[in-house]
């Protein structure tokens, strides 16, 4: 019959029971108390084994175990006798578990109660029994293994606890030359006990490091005990216990060490080996908390641990095991823990970067380790992912620095493989993809592309180490990343921000020439590696990511051309958005200057290219046509880039003085090319005037110029000399000559002409000169309404000089209140005359000046309301948008200042007049007047309710106009007016509703019906939650009207508008019908 586990654990408890304090005197030392307790417990255990009838089975099992042992149990040494008895009882416990498990037959599970837990096996220990076994193991390790370890092997007892330090004094005093025998016996028995699953966790969880230390000393230590001579006196047992290890025993210990390291969780093995290998280091002692130094491990142990760690590293998933063994548990939230976390990550990176000695070559090591390093990026465990990614990033950066060629082959290229495939430069991968590519076939999956973007972001952006090798590797896939960024901008994707940060990081960290080259590649100005293979395109994935698949071929040439043009335009807009994130640097300005240089170069090539001769062959003609088409395409791209950059950045695109100087040099160069080929136009003349005005302003003190700035101006000198010699205007010749002298002398000599040009450009005061005509030049360069520059008096300057631009230098309000010559009566009439100038810029600038004067309550403008109104109305019918938009703004400002006088006049102009009268206006002009009325209404704000009736009356009349566009425009204005009036609608809402119902049901034109339904949308959207109160009487009629439209209208867009309006109505009415329930508790205090 098998012995019960309870009996064996009772024997173990009897062996480790603490002694009673009353049995010892006060003078007895702690060491003597320990020895007496061990001896007493041994005696009690032996006595109970002889006398207790319940322990008969245990006694028989003990004798059976003793018969198989090769070493005696009873010794003169109390400590070792205690350890031997504990080892025997552990072997008995294991044997009892084996016998009980062999007799165990698991019961058949009851199908009626499948949720019940299965029966526990009989070898399962209870909590109290596990504590007893752990206590016995602690005594065995403390008394049997630790005293036998050499100095520097393992953690000394004095560093573990106060009790262990006290035990150390006892065992060190009693240790004998047979330490190797005792260490061998204890280690092998514990390994034998750990073979049973129920005891394995108890042994290896706590004492794995001690077992590894013991096996290392037994198998590899050079300090082995030597045999005693057989002739010496002594018993046979003494001779056996005092001999050294044989070679067979040493080999068996080595094999046991290998098996133990392979069977245990590898990160724990790595951690224990590192602790065992550690040299002299400061540790905090358990006694007193003082920092003490651990004994340094012997050289043979450090070498052995390094070899074992290298073996762990070279195994499959060895990198992850090493990282987990070192990093896991670091970073507990404090500053010290964070610092330790960083140090551990750097330590692991150095370990992974260093090639172990047992590796055949560095390349073989990189070939085996690098794929595992890349896998560290994909750890999804929230507790350790951050640390693993930090280790992987640091390792990649260190490997790139130390072995750039191998790192590029085994790290960077596999990291960037999905993007390499996208660009079509992947070699074998591309050939395999093309061979299997039918339309819709996935080339790069969603998960693969997402991981690639995330990994690149972690290595390059988070790692933030702009080494040349990293930048060169990333540059090859920048077009593909930009193409992916452009695709993600078309919708919602979590990859957009990562792609944008990668692109911005590369543009900021690269050298300026490389940055400009890459920007030109992305813009299509330089032919380079294609962003995407011609057969592939990006498509949306099912998980919110992106995938690369084979696209269908486009057979229609027109459709293919449209797709190409649309794609190029979208990429240009995305490139501009990308540059918007670089406002702090000078990259946008440098790229803008480069575009202007390209535009100048294309213009020069176009002028220099000879026309094809009649005798040329067809091949030459075809080549000439191809070159011409390429030049035209490049010029269109540059023009589009320049236009978008100017629109997006305005004058902020040039961020420093050197960029302004470069801009002026390019402007002068273009002017010289035009003068050489006699192709100067008005725009180029104005550009030249602007450039020379900027030079004069800089030389006149607008900015503080340095010697470096004057050196940058030296390329201007030959161009200014050419303008002096060949420009047809003598004033421009004189100004160019004076500017050349001023630049050449670094500002030491300056003429009056340069000073006047600078003052005119900076807008400080009027400039007087020789001439016959007045011109007005705007001084604003942004998208808002411009401010007036100073006007020249009659006979001020000639035509070229009048084109010099002015820069805004003073505050708008302060300058409007200051008395100046531009606000005098004579100048006011001059401005009104300029509003009828045939040149569009002059006319528009004059209109904006008059608008500013009205806003600032200028006395001349206020006293000439009728003239101002006539000027604006006359320019309202102008065909150029620059002019009529200025007139619209002026009329809206005028009606805002004088609503009682101007608004009725505008309404009268808006109404349809009988045919044949002088007041009859075109439909376009009347729609512009409607825009004026709406701007005026928005400007009036709450006061607009005073003019409710005439405005609504005018728009209702417009809904019956004979022109379709006019009817639709009137309805749009009516909707915006109702949106502005809010609660002031009142009873007029019934008239508006009746008009809308009539139009929807009777109007033949779909465009007008769409506008009518859109009026309801604007009304509901503007009123919001107040719609139920304002439209309460007509809400049901509007609902029925919308349902009628959805059911009967034949135009799809009208139906769509009605459905959108019903959604707005649902948003408004639903909170009213189903109010949100608020869980509130009211506490009322009774009197």
């Amino acid at each position: 019959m098998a012995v019960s586990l309870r009996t064996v654990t009772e024997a173990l408890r009897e062996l480790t029971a603490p002694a009673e304090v009353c049995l010892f005197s006060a003078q007895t030392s702690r060491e003597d108390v320990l020895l007496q307790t061990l001896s007493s417990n041994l005696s009690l255990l032996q006595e109970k084994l002889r006398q207790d009838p319940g322990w008969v089975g245990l006694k028989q099992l003990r004798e059976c175990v003793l018969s198989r042992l090769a070493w005696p149990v009873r010794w003169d040494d109390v400590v070792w006798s205690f350890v031997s008895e504990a080892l025997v009882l552990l072997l008995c416990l294991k044997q009892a578990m084996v016998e009980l498990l062999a007799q165990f037959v698991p019961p058949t599970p009851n199908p009626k109660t499948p949720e019940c837990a299965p029966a526990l096996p009989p070898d399962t220990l209870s909590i109290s029994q596990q504590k007893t076994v752990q206590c016995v193991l602690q005594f065995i390790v403390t008394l049997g293994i630790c005293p036998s370890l050499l100095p520097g092997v393992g953690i000394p007892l004095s560093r573990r606890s106060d009790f262990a330090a006290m035990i150390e004094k006892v065992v060190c005093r009693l240790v004998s030359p047979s330490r190797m025998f005792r260490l061998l016996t204890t280690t092998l028995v514990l390994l034998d006990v750990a073979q049973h699953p129920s005891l394995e966790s108890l042994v290896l969880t706590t004492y794995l490091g001690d077992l590894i230390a013991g096996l290392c000393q037994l198998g590899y230590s050079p300090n082995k005990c030597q045999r005693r001579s057989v002739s010496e006196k002594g018993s046979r047992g003494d001779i056996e216990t005092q001999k050294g290890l044989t070679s067979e025993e040493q080999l068996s210990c080595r094999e046991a060490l290998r098996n133990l390291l392979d069977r245990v969780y590898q990160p724990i093995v790595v951690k224990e080996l590192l602790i065992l290998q550690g040299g002299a280091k400061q540790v905090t002692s358990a006694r007193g908390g003082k920092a003490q130094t651990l004994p340094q491990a012997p050289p043979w142990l450090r070498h052995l641990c390094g070899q074992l760690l290298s073996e762990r590293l070279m195994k499959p998933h060895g990198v992850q095991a090493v990282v987990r063994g070192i990093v896991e548990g670091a970073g507990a939230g404090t500053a010290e823990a964070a610092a330790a976390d960083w140090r551990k990550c750097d330590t692991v990176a150095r370990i992974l970067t260093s090639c172990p000695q047992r590796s055949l070559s560095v390349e073989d090591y990189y070939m085996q380790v690098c794929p595992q390093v890349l896998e560290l990026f994909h750890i999804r465990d929230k507790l350790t992912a951050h640390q693993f990614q930090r280790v992987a990033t640091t390792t990649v950066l260190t490997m790139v620095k130390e072995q750039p060629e191998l790192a590029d082959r085994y790290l960077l290229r596999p990291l960037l493989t999905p993007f390499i495939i996208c660009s079509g430069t992947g070699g074998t991968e591309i050939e395999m993809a093309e061979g299997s590519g039918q339309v819709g076939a996935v080339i790069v999956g969603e998960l693969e592309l997402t991981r690639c973007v995330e990994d690149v972001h972690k290595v390059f952006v988070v790692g933030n180490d702009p080494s040349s090798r990293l930048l060169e590797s990333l540059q090859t896939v920048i077009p593909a990343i930009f193409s992916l960024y452009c695709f993600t901008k078309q919708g919602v994707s979590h990859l957009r921000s990562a792609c944008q940060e990668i692109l911005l990081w590369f543009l900021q960290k690269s050298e300026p020439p490389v940055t400009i080259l890459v920007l030109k590649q992305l813009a299509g100005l330089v032919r380079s590696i294609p962003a995407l293979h011609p057969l592939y395109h990006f498509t949306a994935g099912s998980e919110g990511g992106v995938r690369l698949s084979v696209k269908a071929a486009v057979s229609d040439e027109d459709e293919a051309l449209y797709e190409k043009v649309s794609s190029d335009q979208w990429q240009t807009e995305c490139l501009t958005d990308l540059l918007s994130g670089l406002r702090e640097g000078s990259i946008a300005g440098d790229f803008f200057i480069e575009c202007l240089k390209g535009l100048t170069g294309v213009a020069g090539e176009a002028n220099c290219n000879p026309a094809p001769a009649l005798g040329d062959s067809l091949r030459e003609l075809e080549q000439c046509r191809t070159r011409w088409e390429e030049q035209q395409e490049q010029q269109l791209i540059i023009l589009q880039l320049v236009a978008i950059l100017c629109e997006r950045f305005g004058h902020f695109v040039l961020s420093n003085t050197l960029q302004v100087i470069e801009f002026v040099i390019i402007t002068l160069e273009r002017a010289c090319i035009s003068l050489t080929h006699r192709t100067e136009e008005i725009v180029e003349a104005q550009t030249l005037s602007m450039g020379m005005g900027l030079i004069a302003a800089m030389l006149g003190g607008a900015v503080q110029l340095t010697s470096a700035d004057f050196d940058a101006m030296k390329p201007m000198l030959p161009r200014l000399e050419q303008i002096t010699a060949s420009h047809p205007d003598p004033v421009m010749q004189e100004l160019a000559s004076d500017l050349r002298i001023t630049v050449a002398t670094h500002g030491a000599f300056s003429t009056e002409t340069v000073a006047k040009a600078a003052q005119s450009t900076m807008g400080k005061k009027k400039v007087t000169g020789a001439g016959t005509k007045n011109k007005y030049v705007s001084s604003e360069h942004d998208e808002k309404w411009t401010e007036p520059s100073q006007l020249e008096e009659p006979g001020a300057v000639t035509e070229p000089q009048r084109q010099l631009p002015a820069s805004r230098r003073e505050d708008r309000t302060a300058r409007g209140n200051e008395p100046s010559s531009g606000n005098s009566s004579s100048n006011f009439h001059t401005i009104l005359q300029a509003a009828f100038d045939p040149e569009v810029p002059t006319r528009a600038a004059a209109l904006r000046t008059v608008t500013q004067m009205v806003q600032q309550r200028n006395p001349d403008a206020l006293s000439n309301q009728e003239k101002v109104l006539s000027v604006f109305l006359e320019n309202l019918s102008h065909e150029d948008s620059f002019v009529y938009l200025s007139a619209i703004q002026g009329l809206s400002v005028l009606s805002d200042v004088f609503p009682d006088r101007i608004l009725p006049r505008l309404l009268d102009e808006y109404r349809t007049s009988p045919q044949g009268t002088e007041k009859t206006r075109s439909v376009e002009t009347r729609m512009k007047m409607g825009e004026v009325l709406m701007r005026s209404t928005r400007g009036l704000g709450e006061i607009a309710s005073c003019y409710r009736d005439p405005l609504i009356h005018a728009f209702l009349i417009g809904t019956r106009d004979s022109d379709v566009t006019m009817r639709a425009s009137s309805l749009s204005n009516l909707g915006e007016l109702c949106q502005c009036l809010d609660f002031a609608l009142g009873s007029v809402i019934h008239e508006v509703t009746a008009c809308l119902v009539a139009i929807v049901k009777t109007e033949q034109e779909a465009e007008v019906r769409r506008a009518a339904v859109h009026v309801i949308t604007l009304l509901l959207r503007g009123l919001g939650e107040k719609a139920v109160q304002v439209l309460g009487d007509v809400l049901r009629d509007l609902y029925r009207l919308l349902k009628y439209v959805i059911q009967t209208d034949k135009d799809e867009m009208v139906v769509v508008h009605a459905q959108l309006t019903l959604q707005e109505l649902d948003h408004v009415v639903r909170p009213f019908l189903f109010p949100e329930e608020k869980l509130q508790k009211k506490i009322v205090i009774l009197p």
Side-chain angles (χ1 to χ4, degrees):
M1 183 178 179
V3 181
S4 65
L5 300 182
R6 181 178 180 181
T7 304
V8 182
T9 54
E10 285 180 358
L12 291 173
R13 190 179 300 111
E14 188 73 24
L15 184 63
T16 58
E20 297 181 3
V21 182
C22 60
L23 299 178
F24 305 99
S25 63
Q27 290 78 18
T28 307
S29 63
R30 297 176 63 186
E31 292 81 359
D32 295 335
V33 170
L34 174 63
L35 293 176
Q36 294 178 20
T37 302
L38 296 180
S39 177
S40 174
N41 289 348
L42 282 173
S43 302
L44 293 175
L45 178 64
Q46 294 298 328
E47 183 179 356
K48 198 166 185 179
L49 283 172
R50 291 192 300 268
Q51 298 179 0
D52 194 340
W55 286 21
V56 175
L58 175 60
K59 182 179 180 181
Q60 296 175 354
L61 179 61
R62 180 175 176 275
E63 293 175 353
C64 180
V65 170
L66 288 175
S67 63
R68 295 197 296 264
L69 294 180
W71 42 273
V73 178
R74 303 300 298 173
W75 296 80
D76 297 334
D77 186 355
V78 176
V79 174
W80 180 242
S81 298
F82 180 86
V83 173
S84 300
E85 191 64 43
L87 292 174
V88 170
L89 290 179
L90 282 181
L91 292 174
C92 294
L93 178 63
K94 175 194 171 184
Q95 185 63 31
M97 287 181 173
V98 172
E99 294 177 358
L100 290 174
L101 192 60
Q103 299 174 4
F104 175 66
V105 178
T108 304
N110 188 0
K112 296 183 179 179
T113 57
E115 68 279 0
C116 294
L120 290 174
D123 62 344
T124 304
L125 296 174
S126 65
I127 302 298
S128 60
Q129 291 172 348
Q130 290 182 12
K131 290 182 179 180
T132 302
V133 175
Q134 289 174 348
C135 181
V136 173
L137 290 173
Q138 182 179 5
F139 272 104
I140 292 174
V141 172
T142 305
L143 301 176
I145 293 181
C146 293
S148 302
L149 294 177
L150 297 173
V153 179
I155 301 177
L157 288 175
S158 59
R159 304 294 188 267
R160 302 194 182 198
S161 64
D162 292 339
F163 177 71
M166 183 267 296
I167 292 179
E168 184 181 26
K169 297 178 181 179
V170 178
V171 296
C172 289
R173 185 177 59 189
L174 299 176
V175 74
S176 65
S178 61
R179 66 165 63 186
M180 296 298 288
F181 167 75
R182 296 188 177 186
L183 180 61
L184 176 65
T185 302
T186 307
T187 304
L188 293 181
V189 171
L190 289 181
L191 288 177
D192 186 17
V193 171
Q195 295 295 326
H196 195 279
S198 298
L199 298 175
E200 179 182 18
S201 59
L202 298 177
V203 176
L204 299 183
T205 300
T206 309
Y207 305 106
L208 175 65
D210 296 312
L211 290 175
I212 295 176
L215 290 174
C216 289
Q217 179 173 322
L218 292 171
Y220 297 92
S221 172
N223 300 322
K224 307 178 183 66
C225 298
Q226 302 296 325
R227 291 179 182 271
R228 291 178 56 184
S229 175
V230 180
S231 62
E232 294 183 13
K233 296 181 180 180
S235 62
R236 186 173 186 277
D238 292 336
I239 296 175
E240 290 295 323
T241 57
Q242 294 181 13
K243 70 178 181 179
L245 295 180
T246 63
S247 59
E248 291 79 7
E249 292 173 337
Q250 188 175 6
L251 291 177
S252 65
C253 290
R254 293 180 180 180
E255 185 65 25
L257 176 63
R258 303 282 179 182
N259 295 335
L260 177 63
L261 296 181
D262 290 338
R263 65 186 281 199
V264 180
Y265 182 54
Q266 293 302 297
I268 298 179
V269 172
V270 171
K271 186 180 299 185
E272 296 296 340
L273 288 175
L274 287 173
I275 295 174
L276 192 61
Q277 185 190 31
K281 57 181 67 176
Q282 296 292 329
V283 297
T284 301
S285 175
R287 298 175 297 163
K290 297 181 180 180
Q292 300 182 8
T293 303
L294 289 176
Q296 187 175 8
W300 65 267
L301 181 59
R302 293 199 302 270
H303 177 74
L304 174 62
C305 291
Q307 182 179 356
L308 295 176
L309 285 171
S310 300
E311 293 178 359
R312 303 304 106 191
L313 180 62
M314 300 299 290
K315 286 180 175 293
H317 305 289
V319 172
Q320 189 176 143
V322 171
V323 176
R324 287 186 181 276
I326 300 176
V327 175
E328 274 187 347
T334 62
E336 293 80 3
D341 192 8
W342 276 104
R343 288 194 296 269
K344 285 190 175 183
C345 294
D346 294 340
T347 301
V348 177
R350 288 195 300 270
I351 292 174
L352 297 180
T353 306
S354 303
C355 177
Q357 297 179 356
R358 65 184 301 270
S359 181
L360 297 178
S361 65
V362 179
E363 184 173 0
D364 293 337
Y365 175 73
Y366 271 59
M367 188 186 304
Q368 188 170 0
V369 170
C370 288
Q372 299 186 47
V373 173
L374 294 178
E375 286 297 324
L376 296 179
F377 287 115
H378 308 146
I379 301 297
R380 296 302 179 187
D381 185 8
K382 293 182 179 180
L383 297 177
T384 58
H386 182 64
Q387 296 171 336
F388 274 60
Q389 293 167 9
R390 182 182 298 169
V391 169
T393 301
T394 309
T395 304
V396 171
L397 297 179
T398 308
M399 286 183 169
V400 170
K401 288 181 179 179
E402 295 186 359
Q403 299 288 340
E405 298 296 335
L406 296 178
D408 182 72
R409 187 184 310 166
Y410 298 110
L411 273 179
L412 297 181
R413 186 172 179 84
L415 179 70
L416 302 173
T417 295
F419 284 131
I420 296 175
I421 296 176
C422 292
S423 59
T425 58
T428 306
E429 296 89 345
I430 292 295
E431 294 177 1
M432 294 174 58
E434 290 179 353
S436 62
Q438 59 181 10
V439 176
V442 178
I443 305 301
V444 179
E446 180 180 1
L447 178 60
E448 185 179 359
L449 193 58
T450 301
R451 282 186 171 183
C452 180
V453 174
E454 293 176 351
D455 295 349
V456 171
H457 183 271
K458 294 168 187 173
V459 172
F460 292 90
V461 181
V462 178
N464 195 20
D465 184 13
S467 62
S468 58
R469 176 65 67 172
L470 286 175
L471 292 173
E472 290 173 3
S473 301
L474 186 60
Q475 184 178 353
T476 59
V477 297
I478 282 294
I481 298 176
F482 178 71
S483 180
L484 177 60
Y485 170 71
C486 294
F487 177 80
T488 56
K489 288 275 290 182
Q490 298 176 359
V492 179
S493 177
H494 61 277
L495 300 179
R496 182 194 306 169
S497 59
C499 292
Q500 182 179 4
E501 291 179 5
I502 293 170
L503 293 170
L504 292 178
W505 181 86
F506 177 82
L507 295 176
Q508 290 173 339
K509 301 301 180 181
S510 299
E511 295 295 328
V514 177
T515 301
I516 297 301
L517 176 62
V518 170
L519 288 175
K520 293 173 70 175
Q521 292 176 354
L522 300 182
L525 299 178
V526 177
R527 303 297 179 186
S528 61
I529 300 174
L532 279 181
H533 191 273
L535 299 178
Y536 304 152
H537 68 151
F538 289 118
T539 56
S542 58
E543 301 296 331
V546 182
R547 59 189 177 189
L548 184 72
S549 59
V550 180
K551 67 178 180 180
V554 180
S555 57
D556 190 358
E557 294 183 358
D558 295 337
E559 184 177 353
L561 179 61
Y562 174 77
E563 289 184 0
K564 183 180 184 303
V565 172
S566 301
S567 176
D568 293 344
Q569 184 175 3
W570 177 247
Q571 289 185 359
T572 303
E573 294 179 2
C574 293
L575 181 61
T576 310
D577 292 338
L578 199 63
L579 290 174
S580 300
L582 302 171
R583 286 182 179 270
E584 297 180 358
S586 60
I587 297 178
D590 294 340
F591 183 59
F592 178 72
I593 296 297
E594 193 69 24
C595 291
L596 292 181
K597 290 181 180 179
L599 194 61
T600 303
V602 172
E605 292 177 4
N607 292 323
C608 294
N609 287 337
L614 295 176
D616 292 342
S617 63
L618 291 177
R619 182 178 181 182
E620 293 175 347
L621 292 175
E622 185 66 26
Q623 292 177 353
C624 182
R625 178 178 176 82
T626 302
R627 287 195 301 269
W628 180 82
E629 290 178 351
E630 291 178 354
Q631 290 176 0
Q632 293 298 314
E633 181 181 359
Q634 189 173 17
Q635 190 169 9
L636 288 174
I637 293 175
I638 294 175
L639 286 173
Q640 185 181 14
L641 281 171
V642 171
I644 293 179
L645 288 173
C646 291
E647 179 183 359
R648 186 67 59 88
F649 292 91
H651 59 280
F652 295 104
V653 69
L654 302 178
S655 58
N656 53 57
T657 305
L658 293 177
Q659 289 181 350
V660 176
I661 294 174
E662 287 287 338
F663 172 73
V664 172
I665 292 174
I666 296 170
T667 303
L668 295 178
E669 185 176 354
R670 287 182 56 83
C672 292
I673 293 175
S674 300
L675 291 174
T676 302
H677 299 90
R678 304 297 180 184
T679 58
E680 185 179 12
E681 299 178 356
I682 296 177
V683 176
E684 293 177 349
Q686 294 175 355
T687 307
L688 175 61
S689 301
M690 178 186 64
M692 297 181 70
L694 285 175
I695 303 173
M698 288 189 293
L699 294 173
V703 294
Q704 188 68 29
L705 296 177
T706 62
S707 58
D709 297 333
F710 281 108
D711 292 338
M713 288 184 179
K714 287 183 179 180
M716 296 182 186
L717 298 178
R719 294 168 175 82
L720 289 173
E721 184 178 3
Q722 183 178 354
I723 294 173
T724 303
S726 58
H727 200 281
D729 194 324
V731 176
M732 294 299 293
Q733 292 179 3
E734 180 184 1
L735 181 59
S737 177
D738 295 343
L739 287 173
R740 180 173 174 272
I741 295 173
T742 306
V743 172
T745 59
H746 286 201
F749 176 82
S750 179
T751 63
E752 184 180 357
T753 304
V754 176
K756 290 181 178 180
Q759 293 167 357
S760 176
T761 302
M762 291 186 289
K764 291 183 178 179
K765 60 181 181 179
K766 62 182 180 180
V767 180
T768 305
T772 59
K773 190 178 179 182
N774 292 300
K775 290 291 180 181
Y776 175 81
V777 183
S778 172
S779 63
E780 184 69 18
H781 295 284
D782 56 10
E783 65 275 11
K784 298 182 179 180
W785 292 102
T786 58
E787 295 187 3
S789 70
Q790 304 300 323
L791 295 171
E792 298 86 358
E793 291 181 352
V797 290
T798 56
E799 178 68 21
Q801 191 173 356
R802 285 195 301 270
Q803 301 301 330
L804 293 176
S807 301
R808 179 172 52 190
R809 298 294 179 187
E810 302 175 8
D811 183 76
R812 175 179 301 179
T813 305
R815 193 170 61 185
N817 294 331
E818 291 178 357
S820 63
S821 59
N823 289 335
S824 64
S825 178
S826 60
N827 282 337
F828 175 74
H829 291 288
T830 303
I831 296 174
L832 292 182
Q833 292 177 5
F836 297 97
D837 194 282
E839 294 185 7
V840 170
T842 303
R843 177 180 290 206
L847 291 174
R848 291 199 301 274
T849 303
V850 175
T851 302
Q852 293 290 336
M853 296 173 71
V854 173
Q855 276 185 326
Q856 296 167 4
R857 305 297 197 274
N858 185 276
D860 295 326
L862 298 181
S863 60
N864 294 277
Q865 298 178 24
E866 293 297 329
K867 292 183 180 180
V868 173
L869 179 61
S870 301
V871 169
F872 287 144
L873 290 176
E874 189 66 28
N875 285 277
L876 195 64
S877 58
H878 198 278
E879 60 181 4
D880 193 279
S881 61
F882 198 32
V883 175
Y884 71 72
L885 286 176
S886 301
I888 289 174
Q889 178 69 9
L891 286 172
S892 63
V893 171
L894 193 62
S895 63
D896 186 30
V897 177
F898 308 104
D900 294 334
R901 300 178 186 177
I902 303 301
L903 202 57
R905 293 283 303 277
L906 298 180
L907 290 172
D908 185 52
E909 295 290 339
Y910 182 77
R911 297 189 184 95
T912 304
S913 300
Q915 298 294 329
T917 63
E918 296 181 356
K919 295 194 301 180
T920 303
R921 292 178 175 269
S922 64
V923 174
E924 291 82 2
T925 306
R926 292 178 60 205
M927 287 193 294
K928 297 173 186 175
M929 186 60 66
E931 175 65 21
V932 173
L933 292 173
M934 290 317 304
R935 290 194 183 192
S936 303
T937 304
R938 287 192 289 267
L940 290 173
E942 297 180 356
I943 309 177
S945 59
C946 300
Y947 306 97
R948 179 195 67 179
D949 294 337
L951 286 170
I952 289 183
H953 182 66
F955 293 144
L956 289 177
I957 291 176
T959 59
R960 296 181 297 175
D961 195 90
S962 58
D963 187 81
V964 176
T965 309
M966 188 63 194
R967 295 201 298 272
S969 177
S970 300
L971 284 170
S972 179
N973 294 335
L974 181 63
E976 291 194 23
L977 177 62
C978 294
Q979 191 175 1
C980 295
L981 289 177
D982 206 355
F983 282 100
L985 277 173
S987 60
V988 183
I989 190 62
H990 294 281
E991 300 178 16
V992 175
T993 305
C995 175
L996 296 176
V997 172
I999 291 175
V1000 170
K1001 292 184 177 181
T1002 61
E1003 178 62 48
Q1004 298 297 324
E1005 298 293 336
E1007 183 180 357
V1008 181
R1009 297 199 303 275
R1010 296 172 192 169
V1013 176
H1014 187 60
V1015 171
I1016 306 176
T1017 306
L1018 291 176
L1019 197 58
L1020 295 173
R1021 192 175 296 165
L1023 293 174
E1025 297 179 355
K1026 299 176 287 186
V1028 179
Q1029 304 176 27
V1030 179
L1031 306 177
D1033 298 336
V1034 297
L1035 207 56
R1036 184 180 60 178
D1037 298 335
L1038 294 178
Y1039 173 75
R1040 291 178 177 177
L1041 177 63
L1042 296 173
K1043 298 295 288 185
Y1044 170 81
V1045 170
I1046 294 175
Q1047 296 173 1
T1048 61
D1049 203 294
K1050 298 180 181 180
D1051 186 73
E1052 295 182 357
M1053 290 304 300
V1054 176
V1055 174
V1056 171
H1057 278 291
Q1059 291 173 347
L1060 294 176
T1061 309
L1062 279 177
Q1063 292 180 6
E1064 293 290 340
L1065 185 61
D1066 180 71
H1067 295 329
V1068 171
V1069 177
R1070 184 175 295 275
F1072 178 77
L1073 297 178
F1074 307 101
E1076 182 180 358
E1077 296 183 0
K1078 296 182 179 180
L1079 301 178
Q1080 296 179 346
K1081 179 183 292 185
K1082 293 183 179 180
I1083 300 176
V1084 180
I1085 300 177
L1086 298 176

